[in-house]
Amino acid sequence: MSNPTTNREREEIHGDQVLDLMAALARAVLWPFRWRVLTILLMQIVSQVMLLASLVLPWQLLQVLMTGRSRIDGWVPGTESHGAKIAVLIVAAVLCFCAYALLKWLITKAIAQLSSLILGLLNKTRLVANHRLVGKRVLGIVIGALSSAVIALLFCLMIAFLHPLLALLAVACVLGLVMMVSFYYRFERVQTIQNTLQGNVLTVINISFALGFLIIVLDYLNGTMRPLLTLFILLLAMRQLMVASVNGLVNFLSIIKYFQQINMLLLPRSQQISFSLTTDFVQRFEQATLQQWLPSWLIESKYCVGDLEILQCRLLYGRSVAHVLVCETDSNGLPYYVLLKCYIAARENEALHETALLNEVGGYCHGAVSQSAMPTVPVLRASGQLPWCHFVLVEIGDKPPQWKNSEERKPWMNELRQCLCHVPLPNHLITQYTATFASLPERMKKVAASHFAYLTQQDRQSFQVERFMQLWPFMIAEVERVPQCLTVQNPSSARMAVIDNHMLLLDWQGWVYDTLGAHWPLSAKLQAEILEVINSQWESADSQQPWHGFDSPTQAANCVALAARAHEFCQRCHLHNDSGALNMMSGLIKAYEVITLADEQNSPVKSAVEY
């Protein structure tokens, strides 16, 4: 294992890398748009001033009601009467609050416009719609962190001008908060620290209030008590300072969490920051470190016996999942291969899903004709939890696997889908999934006409919105006819290996139980791919039962193709990608018309046979 000195050195490297990232962001992203960024920051400052004024003015209104005097006496002409003072204070408070609300809206709009401008000028060939959403979110986080820092500095200066000792205390509170986050910081626990900060904002504010009142008591004892209005402003400034500090820390942690996305989406390749070997999880899978702990742990835990050799180690999914292929040699010198998969704590649910599935279907052989056939689904040997990860250990067999990359997996997609349709999923796992995740028909029923109510009449006609919403319930009924089966959320990225031209599925953490075709990628070959899979089932008497409501494989394939399009449509509606959803309406209408046309052609044949 790594010694403490090495860990400390690497933690310093983490800090240097984060500082380098911030510098690169300022240099490559914010500086070319510095005037826009400065405008947003000034608007943030003015909005905070308006908020403070909208809170202070009611205090003055209360003072007028109680004493008949206020701080505005002599400032505004024509406010000698009691009623005039009240009217002026009410109008000023309302205007300040309205100005604050308007500025917050303008700031949000300005950040969105800046994000669109920056992303539009980036020379990124892979910046598709989904990447743009991530890019806007990341840019919002970066500008939010900068704004929080400026606001915290503003209120700190205000407190220092009114009460230097209280300002010193406020700075100490902020530094103490930063030191606590730094002390508990681990890259794998960023989300946990963020949740803790956001869940304890009131506690932080209350502690700062208590310390602030202590300073006020000391002032009172020393005879240097400030006026009540000044004390009220100081406490409000103290509150806003602590809130801005917490928000700044949360946004700063989000920058670390989205490190790779910032690198890929916002920074030119020449200025991207290397973030390798940054986590304790990754450090354990270095070649030298892995040899120190893995073989001895497998033997001591009695998961493996005999001589062990680590053949390969791969870090996947943003270096949050590790695959280690181990060769186990028995006393006769015969090799046997096992695969250890380790998940970081944030992926606990995926490890538990995979374990639950393999406990039920481990060792399943697709298309097996004898008991000696190789399993398509690996056998689960062990699973559990270590202090730093969750692990799953599966048996590969007595022959080494050959990994397939994304391009090499494409010819195996139909066999993968056929295998998933045949895996005998137990009823309790089906019930567990359907109780947790909505099926495709349930997701379709949530799409209502009101989702597109904002469109003009001309747009509604051009996209055939009325006709689409009239046909939508009938489309749902057709999709409900399609049988459900086991599938994976992204079949094209399902990792697999080949042993003697036999497919072995490796990653099961993304398994779902849903309508066939729901997670089928749309392409020009969609209909042919679906028909090939259904034909293979149609010829089998064992698997024909789910298709008893269809007259032919072609009719079933049409409904499955409709389900694939409906799934993508619901996804785009859920992500508020309305332009993509609207462009899919005509395709969905045509897919449904193909089904109804086929039914009309088959109905005379049915009547003749019955007669």
Side-chain angles (χ1 to χ4, degrees), residues 389-452:
C389 77
H390 295 264
F391 72 90
V392 178
L393 185 67
V394 296
E395 298 180 2
I396 299 295
D398 56 359
K399 296 181 179 179
Q402 298 176 352
W403 313 114
K404 295 294 182 181
N405 59 34
S406 57
E407 287 298 319
E408 295 169 340
R409 284 194 296 267
K410 289 182 179 178
W412 295 84
M413 283 296 104
N414 273 339
E415 184 173 345
L416 168 64
R417 296 186 182 105
Q418 292 173 23
C419 172
L420 294 173
C421 290
H422 288 82
V423 171
L425 199 63
N427 287 332
H428 73 272
L429 280 184
I430 295 175
T431 304
Q432 175 185 331
Y433 179 78
T434 53
T436 308
F437 302 97
S439 64
L440 176 58
E442 292 171 344
R443 298 195 300 273
M444 292 175 70
K445 291 174 183 176
K446 293 180 180 179
V447 179
S450 59
H451 185 89
F452 304 104

Side-chain angles (χ1 to χ4, degrees), residues 142-297:
V142 172
I143 296 176
L146 190 59
S147 299
S148 297
V150 172
I151 291 170
L153 181 61
L154 169 70
F155 283 107
C156 187
L157 292 174
M158 180 184 295
I159 296 172
F161 178 75
L162 296 175
H163 199 308
L165 183 59
L166 189 59
L168 184 61
L169 176 64
V171 171
C173 288
V174 173
L175 290 178
L177 196 61
V178 172
M179 290 175 64
M180 287 180 63
V181 172
S182 301
F183 179 77
Y184 288 105
Y185 168 75
R186 295 291 184 275
F187 184 78
E188 296 92 339
R189 297 174 57 192
V190 166
Q191 187 63 53
T192 304
I193 299 173
Q194 281 184 313
N195 294 338
T196 303
L197 281 173
Q198 291 173 323
N200 291 278
V201 173
L202 289 178
T203 303
V204 172
I205 292 173
N206 290 336
I207 292 174
S208 64
F209 271 5
L211 295 173
F213 275 114
L214 179 61
I215 297 295
I216 292 172
V217 170
L218 291 176
D219 284 348
Y220 176 76
L221 294 176
N222 293 328
T224 57
M225 187 78 170
R226 267 75 172 176
L228 287 178
L229 179 62
T230 304
L231 295 177
F232 183 64
I233 294 174
L234 284 172
L235 290 177
L236 285 177
M238 189 77 170
R239 179 194 181 278
Q240 294 302 103
L241 169 63
M242 298 312 297
V243 170
S245 300
V246 172
N247 288 338
L249 285 172
V250 170
N251 285 322
F252 180 74
L253 290 171
S254 294
I255 291 174
I256 298 174
K257 184 168 69 173
Y258 289 107
F259 195 104
Q260 296 295 357
Q261 287 88 338
I262 292 173
N263 256 339
M264 183 185 78
L265 298 177
L266 302 182
L267 296 179
R269 187 175 296 275
S270 60
Q271 298 186 33
Q272 291 183 359
I273 310 301
S274 174
F275 200 46
S276 59
L277 300 177
T278 54
T279 68
D280 179 62
F281 180 85
V282 172
Q283 292 170 21
R284 293 175 187 273
F285 293 97
E286 296 175 7
Q287 184 175 4
T289 308
L290 192 61
Q291 293 288 349
Q292 293 176 9
W293 70 269
L294 181 58
S296 58
W297 174 72

